[in-house]
Amino acid sequence: MKNYITTPIYYVNGEAHIGHAYTTFIADALARHSRLLGNETYFLTGTDEHGQKIEESAAKQNKPTQQFADEISALFRNLWDEFDISYDQFIRTTDEAHKKGVQAAFEKMVAKGDIYKDFYEGNYCVSCETFFPESQLMDGGCCPDCGRPTTIVKEESYFFRLSKYEKPLMEYYEAHPEFILPKSRRNEVMSFVRGGLNDLSVTRTSFSWGVHLPASLNEPKHVMYVWLDALMNYVTALGYGNDESKMGFWPANVQLVGKDILRFHAIYWPAFLMSLDLPLPKHIGAHGWWTRDGEKMSKSKGNVVDPREVAKHYGVENFRYFMMREVPFGQDGDFSQRALIDRMNSDLSNDLGNLLNRIIGMSEKYSDFAINSVDVEKYHARELNDAHAILDSLETYLNELQIHRYLEELWKVFTIGNKAIEEHAPWTKVKEGRTDEALATVALVANLLAKASVMLHAIMPRTTATIADALGFAINTESYTTLIKEKKLLAPFTIKKIPPLFPRVEEPLMAEAPKAMIEEAPKAPEPAKEEKKVSTVPTEGLITIDQFFQTSLKVGTILEAQEVPKSSKLLKLQVDLGEESPRQVIAGIREYYSAESLVGTQVCVVANLKPAKLMGMLSEGMLLAAKDAEGLCLIRPEKPRQSGSSIG
Ligand code: MSP
């Protein structure tokens, strides 16, 4: 069977962070497991290097765009090499073969009648490289995805007839419920398509850093829309529009993406493929986002987790295990050193590591390191059956991308081993002269470890290779077949005395992220609520202008916004008031605004309120808002003003 697995291609405007590492780890695990099964596997990753955003980032650093892209692309590639990522190809959208392939695709779309020329006038978000219709924009013309201001772009443009594919897409989603994983995300995509698809502007004339249109069109001003260019990488990597040498791998089995780019992969991409008469991928797997210690990661906060640092201090395979085990695929996850250390100590050191140490110790004492499976079936048929039942069930989880579940179930094999040692207490049996029985228990555990290591190999390749080596075998398709498929036992061997693989970690090994302000804040006596009551119909108790100016009102820019767990009303915001560090404001606006829609937008803030705590979190200001029967809306400056500008 052919199995093609892809990651998104990463933008070269910044270095890799743990979000990128996460997708790449999962894809690597899927590819490794597929190879173990004996499938012909092709694993693609790479970098997305065109578009206005990259052009602007390079200009900021005063570097030629290509040089800038070369440098960052190399950083990604080097990191994946350091992390032992088993990609078969690292594609760059600046590769000549890719550009040729994109042009061939464009020509085919033109021939199909799916591309036409018109004018585009719309609001464009450079950061998301996306046009948004007026109706979707946030207040102040801001981008509905990232909240940053959009710019009005009017230019001649070629359009892709996305609207033509509305019905075929819906039919495809209906007929293939497993196309979008986890299945919970399918509805979201379907309701978006049901809402109607506009034709997509697929060329630009306002910048030049992109793939040029095919010469046959004679349109030197136009370059391709970066998402058309980028999405095509999945087939140009296989030779589309060139030698087509590896097109046998298409359609892909799994295309992994983050939830933020699901729409591009579950709507645009399949529509492009339909236009090109190519089959659609079997699964688009959308994972959630990682935060750090409960906070969104951002450069300005200085709390971005550098994957290289984590790997340096904790080991890349422990890090891989943690990321894949800790968070159910599709859900958001939180990175904290504590959580990583806990997983390492409990799962890896206590459950897995101890089991290996114990059988090394016992076989040293009782049999001079010799281990023989001869009596395992006789004394431990129940344990073996239980373990085989678990091992048989595992692949379903992997096929559904439920890797955390896969690992959770796999760990039950170690539990069987640890229980068998406790129950059968080989040390007592040896004393009673029942050495055969004692050695059978040791051999049972060795077999359980061997089988579990084969199934853990894709997640922790080096570690499991070391375990297998200690157990006298190598992990490969052959041992997968004998130990897992045929349920055979290990041939007699001499166990190697290797040092413990997972020493316990007591204290965090990396420097901590800047402490959240919550912990350092003084206790706030007053609930902020009272101050909000400014009477609009003053009959008595009128105030003087001086009294009014006792309230400091300022323009703030929202830098970060997050939902407060367990609260349906609150959002936690980081608001720039032009001060040294942003203020944290807990605002009861979650029913009216999504967290993502607020980032980059401006608000009016009461800046001299005493800090208060809401659900245990410090709030250092209050947003001005108006509420009536139709709901609540924030009061914002009519035009963007500098953060911290005073109002009054
Ligand atoms: N270049 C596009 C993808 C084009 S694919 C044809 C892109 N690049 S990206 O570098 O911005 O993001 C790449 C991936 O990283 C996305 O899947 C995104 O979801 C993921 N992540 C970015 N930040 C993340 C977290 N904090 N956590 C998890 N994944 C995150 O989009």
Side-chain angles (χ1 to χ4, degrees), residues 446-447 449-454 464-476 479-480 482-483 490-491 493:
N447 276 284
L449 271 172
K451 287 169 193 271
S453 298
V454 172
T464 49
T466 309
I467 299 174
D469 185 55
L471 299 177
F473 78 109
I475 299 177
N476 49 38
S479 54
Y480 168 79
T482 52
L483 291 171
L490 292 168
F493 68 98

Side-chain angles (χ1 to χ4, degrees), residues 189-400:
V189 172
M190 286 176 78
S191 63
F192 189 91
V193 176
R194 209 175 285 122
L197 295 177
N198 294 323
D199 288 350
L200 189 68
S201 160
V202 287
T203 68
R204 297 280 178 279
T205 55
S206 51
F207 65 94
S208 58
W209 184 243
V211 179
H212 288 272
L213 261 54
S216 57
L217 283 150
N218 193 21
E219 286 280 22
K221 286 199 312 266
H222 288 255
V223 292
M224 305 263 185
Y225 171 44
V226 65
W227 271 101
L228 171 63
D229 163 5
L231 287 162
M232 288 306 302
N233 93 87
Y234 301 129
V235 288
T236 59
L238 303 178
Y240 181 87
N242 282 292
D243 57 9
E244 309 263 320
S245 53
K246 294 186 281 286
M247 279 303 280
F249 278 103
W250 191 259
N253 184 25
V254 184
Q255 301 211 260
L256 290 165
V257 299
K259 62 179 183 180
D260 54 317
I261 57 170
L262 175 62
R263 206 193 315 155
F264 298 96
H265 285 81
I267 302 174
Y268 297 179
W269 178 223
F272 293 159
L273 287 167
M274 286 176 179
S275 176
L276 297 174
D277 297 318
L278 288 172
L280 306 201
K282 291 197 199 89
H283 308 290
I284 302 285
H287 64 72
W289 269 50
W290 282 86
T291 50
R292 177 177 198 170
D293 300 315
E295 307 263 328
K296 190 175 170 190
M297 285 182 276
S298 80
K299 274 188 197 158
S300 63
K301 266 190 185 169
N303 69 345
V304 175
V305 186
D306 176 354
R308 193 179 262 115
E309 276 291 292
V310 184
K312 188 173 106 194
H313 289 97
Y314 293 97
V316 66
E317 298 212 347
N318 299 332
F319 176 33
R320 268 170 84 109
Y321 171 77
F322 165 75
M323 293 200 98
M324 289 191 243
R325 173 66 185 84
E326 187 73 1
V327 178
F329 184 85
Q331 290 180 24
D332 291 346
D334 189 50
F335 178 90
S336 75
Q337 294 196 72
R338 198 64 259 166
L340 170 58
I341 291 170
D342 288 349
R343 282 264 166 233
M344 287 173 66
N345 287 346
S346 75
D347 299 7
L348 298 175
S349 185
N350 284 1
D351 298 342
L352 167 54
N354 262 351
L355 208 52
L356 183 63
N357 300 341
R358 289 176 94 174
I359 61 163
I360 293 175
M362 287 192 278
S363 56
E364 177 174 19
K365 266 199 203 150
Y366 311 144
S367 60
D368 199 16
F369 297 109
I371 294 192
N372 192 322
S373 307
V374 66
D375 287 329
V376 174
E377 304 261 10
K378 182 168 156 197
Y379 294 110
H380 292 292
R382 184 177 49 87
E383 286 93 341
L384 265 188
N385 281 343
D386 290 351
H388 283 141
I390 294 168
L391 295 165
D392 280 347
S393 73
L394 290 178
E395 255 136 33
T396 319
Y397 298 116
L398 213 56
N399 294 337
E400 291 172 356

Side-chain angles (χ1 to χ4, degrees), residues 49 72 110 141 262 266 302 327 344 393 399 404 408 443 505 509 634:
E49 307 184 9
I72 309 246
V110 171
L262 175 62
V327 178
M344 287 173 66
S393 73
N399 294 337
H404 71 290
E408 195 180 6
V505 180
L509 304 171
L634 289 166

Side-chain angles (χ1 to χ4, degrees), residues 38 68 131 211 244 341 385 483 485 500 526 550 618:
F68 175 79
F131 273 107
V211 179
E244 309 263 320
I341 291 170
N385 281 343
L483 291 171
K485 289 278 121 187
E526 291 287 305
Q550 283 173 12
L618 182 73

Side-chain angles (χ1 to χ4, degrees), residues 593 602-605 623-627 633-637 647:
Y593 291 89
Q602 293 203 306
V603 283
C604 300
V605 183
L623 306 190
L624 296 191
K627 194 173 179 185
C633 79
L634 289 166
I635 309 294
R636 304 174 184 279
I647 302 170

